[in-house]
């Protein structure tokens, strides 16, 4: 059974190899492996799209499967966490991006890189109010169209509907 | 009076139709906004949120044992596997080692759940393309699995049997014998399923060549589970990132390359055979031991981020927990398989006919509360 | 010939309905026939939102079969159905849809609330912003079936209880449950 697993993980790069390769593209990235089982990269919003397209197109990394796109409210900052995987090399990576602008947070959309991002970004907009540039169809997905407020933010208060326990 | 008939006097216009939230073929409350030209579909847009129960917000105020109880109700057809995902995430975060007995029992029950889910899928798929008999056959066999669960876990549908640390109580003494009887019985029934639908000419004409999804599209849309495996993308989490007792059983992954509705159908039938094989390998050798490890009454995860993947009957379910050391998670996100599978519907459906849309939705096998959470 | 009217005792509970000189025998027999017909052929609407829908489907399948009791087929269109079984959670976005479906049904129409979510919000009562805490905030309900999800036998008992309720209706004193519902009566 273990030989089968080795066959699946061809040319899988270790975290330190990935870190060496990716830091050669952009010097302003922060790498961390603390408190997580994957390698975490924190990138600035203006370099986000470029880094993610390079991660997909480079043949050694070839991260072509985005399996989780999560919106986060870190208390003071709002941000997005991307979980990436490569279907050929089977290594995994986490990319995070943050902004401290709570009135009008905006990032670049990655729909042109992975088509799955279209629905996920609509969900993040619905819950947190984060807007994405160049998104084909950014509107509310789960909440009714005329809902006011962004429910999953930490400072969301709803006296009418929520019964807090 | 003469009426002149011009050759192009019939102009075709696009027509907007609403396949509403209450509909027998949408497997739940899903609203599809269709733009059609005659019978040909020009655009499909899903409108979600009709069963959005804000589970992610509730989890920020619940303890971990209460969260396990809520995951039952998300994708209720693979309830055990959802529970297992959260329990594994918590156990890996705490560094807890569960006894071997627990791992083997969890695997057997997960495969029984997968069988029950595929039986219901098969019954409803036949009903959607017009064969009502399959509904009764599928449910008749599913009742046997419900009986096994009821004797051991206490409930038929929302079981809540896995807890962080192990199982809620030990298996019933009759469990092993009943499971063996069921496996022997179902092995005679599964060829009957093939006779009814797989070899049926009408069914094949309705499903072959319909709703083709290429491998590149399957990867780009983030599909997983049988939908991706029918397009040639090998993504079985049980093989790539094995958990519980999957590293000690031999089974094949069902892979086809055509990517049409018939291939997705055959993947699931093949998966049913593989599940039977897994259960047979494990049922006679359940190791003795404890049925749980002790945990604190109040579970607090250390600070950090934890991700756990499992393979449900629909695809890859991911649980992403961000914890800041307290007894409630700071943020909990469920990566649901149906959400990504549904995003591929537009690519598959544009250009085909309205009747094909129903067949495609049946093989995507979505459960809408899983998407809306 | 004067027929003396019997004096009603002062502490008699309830209301005495006059017999009406024999004309009401026709109406009460007609009542029985009509109620028998209505209660034994209730056709339900396909309305399952979440997990309870699976138990409703199991009730219709081969082992516990609700068509033995007259609920022969489940109709997809509200115009052809008499009964809505609300199986599953009702959410803020779904509530107007449910109300519209109820209004589209032709009278007489009945409602069964199945499962904890339809009765009072169920496990989703605390800390949610989108769940309606009970389907009877939206439409008037006749029978409540508790459970999460209720067993098929429990649903069958709820349906039979509804049949009992229908058999006690009367043509003369018909009360439409939707009257005054929106005003909160």
């Amino acid at each position: 059974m273990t030989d089968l697993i080795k066959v699946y993980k061809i040319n899988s790069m270790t975290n330190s190899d990935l870190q060496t390769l990716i830091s050669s593209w952009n010097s302003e990235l922060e790498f961390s492996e603390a408190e997580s089982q994957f390698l975490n990269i924190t990138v600035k919003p203006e370099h986000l799209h470029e880094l993610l397209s390079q991660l997909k197109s480079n043949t050694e990394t070839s991260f072509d499967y985005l399996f989780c796109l999560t919106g986060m409210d870190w208390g003071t900052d709002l941000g997005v966490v991307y979980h990436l995987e490569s279907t050929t090399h089977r290594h995994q990576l986490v990319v995070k991006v943050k902004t401290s602008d709570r009135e009008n947070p905006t990032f670049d959309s990655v729909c042109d890189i992975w088509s799955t991002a279209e629905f996920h970004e609509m969900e993040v907009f619905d819950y947190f109010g984060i807007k994405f540039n160049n998104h084909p169809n950014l509107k509310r997905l789960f909440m009714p169209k005329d809902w006011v407020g962004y429910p999953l933010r930490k400072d969301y208060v709803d006296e009418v509907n929520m019964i807090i326990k | 009076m003469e009426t002149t008939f011009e050759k192009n006097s019939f102009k075709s216009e696009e027509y907007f139709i609403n396949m509403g939230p209450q509909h027998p073929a949408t497997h739940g409350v899903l609203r599809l906004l269709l733009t059609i030209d005659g019978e040909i579909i020009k655009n499909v847009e899903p409108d979600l949120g009709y069963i959005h129960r804000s589970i992610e917000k509730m989890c920020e105020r619940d303890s971990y044992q209460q969260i396990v109880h809520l995951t039952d109700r998300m994708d209720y057809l693979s309830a055990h596997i959802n529970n297992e995902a959260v329990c594994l995430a918590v156990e890996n975060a705490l560094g807890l080692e569960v006894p071997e007995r627990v791992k083997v029992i969890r695997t057997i029950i997960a495969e029984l759940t997968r069988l029950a889910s595929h039986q219901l899928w098969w019954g409803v798929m036949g009903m959607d393309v017009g064969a009502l008999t399959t509904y009764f056959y599928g449910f008749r066999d599913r009742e046997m699995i419900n009986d096994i669960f009821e004797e051991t876990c206490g409930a038929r549908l929302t079981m809540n049997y896995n807890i962080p640390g192990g199982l809620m109580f030990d298996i019933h003494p009759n469990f092993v014998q009943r499971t063996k009887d069921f496996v022997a019985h179902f092995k005679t029934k599964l060829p009957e399923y093939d006779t009814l639908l797989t070899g049926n000419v009408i069914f094949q004409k309705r499903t072959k060549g319909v709703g083709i999804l290429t491998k590149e599209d399957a990867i780009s849309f983030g599909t997983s589970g049988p939908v991706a495996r029918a397009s040639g993308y090998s993504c079985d989490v049980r093989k790539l990132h094995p958990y519980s007792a999957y590293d000690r059983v031999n089974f094949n992954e069902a892979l086809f390359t055509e990517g049409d509705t018939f291939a997705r159908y055959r993947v699931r039938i093949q998966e049913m055979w593989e599940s039977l094989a897994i259960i047979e390998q494990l049922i006679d050798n359940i190791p003795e031991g404890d049925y749980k490890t002790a945990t604190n009454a109040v579970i607090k995860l250390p600070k950090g981020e934890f991700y756990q993947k499992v393979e449900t009957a629909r695809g890859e379910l991911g649980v992403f927990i961000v914890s800041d050391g307290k007894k409630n998670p700071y943020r909990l996100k469920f990566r649901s398989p149906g959400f990504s599978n549904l995003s591929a519907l537009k690519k598959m459906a544009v250009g085909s006919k309205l009747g094909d849309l129903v067949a495609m939705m049946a093989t995507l096998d979505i459960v809408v509360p899983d998407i809306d959470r | 010939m004067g027929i003396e009217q019997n004096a009603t005792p002062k502490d008699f509970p309830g209301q005495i309905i006059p017999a009406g000189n024999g004309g009401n025998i026709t109406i009460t027999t007609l009542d029985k026939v009509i109620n028998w017909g209505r209660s034994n052929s209730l056709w339900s609407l396909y309305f399952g939102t979440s997990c309870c829908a699976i138990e409703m489907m199991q009730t219709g399948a081969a082992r516990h079969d609700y068509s033995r009791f007259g609920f022969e087929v489940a109709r997809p269109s509200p115009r052809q159905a008499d009964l809505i079984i609300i199986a599953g959670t009702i959410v803020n976005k779904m509530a107007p849809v449910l109300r519209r479906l109820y209004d589209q049904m032709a009278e007489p129409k009945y409602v069964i609330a199945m499962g904890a979510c339809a009765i009072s919000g169920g496990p989703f009562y605390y800390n949610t912003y989108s769940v309606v805490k009970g389907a009877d905030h939206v439409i008037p309900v006749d029978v409540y079936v508790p459970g999460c999800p209720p067993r098929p036998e429990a649903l069958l008992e709820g349906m039979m209880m509804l049949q009992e309720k229908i058999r006690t209706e009367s043509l003369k004193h018909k009360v439409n449950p939707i009257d005054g519902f929106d005003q909160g009566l």
Side-chain angles (χ1 to χ4, degrees), chain C residues 2-13:
Chain C
I3 302 177
E4 263 184 29
Q5 208 159 24
N6 290 334
T8 53
K10 281 199 183 50
D11 54 355
F12 188 75

Side-chain angles (χ1 to χ4, degrees), chain B residues 21-24 28-29 47-55 57-58 61-62 69-70 72-73 76-77 120 124 127 135-136 139-140 142-144 146-147 150 156-158 368-369, chain C residues 45-52 54-58 60-64 75-78 88-89 91 93-94 97 101 117 123-131 148-149 151-152:
Chain B
Q22 183 259 335
H23 194 280
V29 271
D47 186 14
L48 306 168
Y50 287 94
I51 187 74
H52 171 62
R53 295 177 281 195
S54 56
I55 290 183
K57 184 83 180 179
M58 284 170 79
R61 283 186 162 265
D62 279 345
H69 162 81
L70 277 181
D72 265 335
R73 282 137 180 96
Y76 38 79
L77 292 176
L120 192 143
V124 173
M127 192 171 78
Y135 175 77
F136 296 106
F139 274 85
R140 169 199 67 185
R142 192 164 183 266
E143 285 282 349
M144 292 184 71
N146 278 350
D147 283 341
E150 190 177 7
R156 292 157 51 106
L157 192 71
T158 50
V368 187
Chain C
L45 175 71
Y46 262 142
F47 189 78
T49 44
S50 65
C51 354
C52 283
I54 302 294
E55 288 295 13
M56 189 169 73
M57 285 158 74
Q58 295 264 209
R63 192 190 272 194
H64 329 267
R75 310 302 294 173
S77 159
T89 325
V91 191
K93 200 169 177 184
M94 190 68 188
V97 177
L101 283 173
C117 291
F124 303 100
Y125 187 78
Y126 291 114
N127 306 330
T128 71
Y129 46 83
S130 63
V131 169
C148 190
R151 282 197 62 129

Side-chain angles (χ1 to χ4, degrees), chain B residues 29-50:
Chain B
V29 271
L30 172 67
R31 181 178 173 215
L32 291 176
L33 296 145
L34 303 169
T35 313
I36 53 181
D37 172 16
E39 278 261 333
I40 311 225
I41 299 179
K42 296 281 189 210
N43 191 17
V44 177
E45 197 181 310
D47 186 14
L48 306 168
Y50 287 94

Side-chain angles (χ1 to χ4, degrees), chain C residues 31-113:
Chain C
D31 261 350
K32 280 209 187 100
V33 172
I34 290 179
N35 288 344
W36 174 84
R38 274 187 193 157
S39 66
N40 283 346
S41 75
L42 282 170
W43 286 5
S44 63
L45 175 71
Y46 262 142
F47 189 78
T49 44
S50 65
C51 354
C52 283
I54 302 294
E55 288 295 13
M56 189 169 73
M57 285 158 74
Q58 295 264 209
T59 316
R63 192 190 272 194
H64 329 267
D65 185 11
Y66 57 34
S67 75
R68 302 180 269 166
F69 299 97
F71 305 83
E72 179 63 36
V73 277
R75 310 302 294 173
S77 159
R79 303 280 188 196
Q80 300 165 358
D82 307 299
L83 166 70
I84 286 193
I85 302 181
I86 307 180
T89 325
I90 302 295
V91 191
N92 279 336
K93 200 169 177 184
M94 190 68 188
V97 177
L98 176 62
R99 185 57 195 254
R100 199 186 302 164
L101 283 173
Y102 183 75
D103 288 338
Q104 280 181 333
M105 282 164 74
E107 297 208 2
K109 49 194 177 187
Y110 305 99
V111 178
I112 293 184

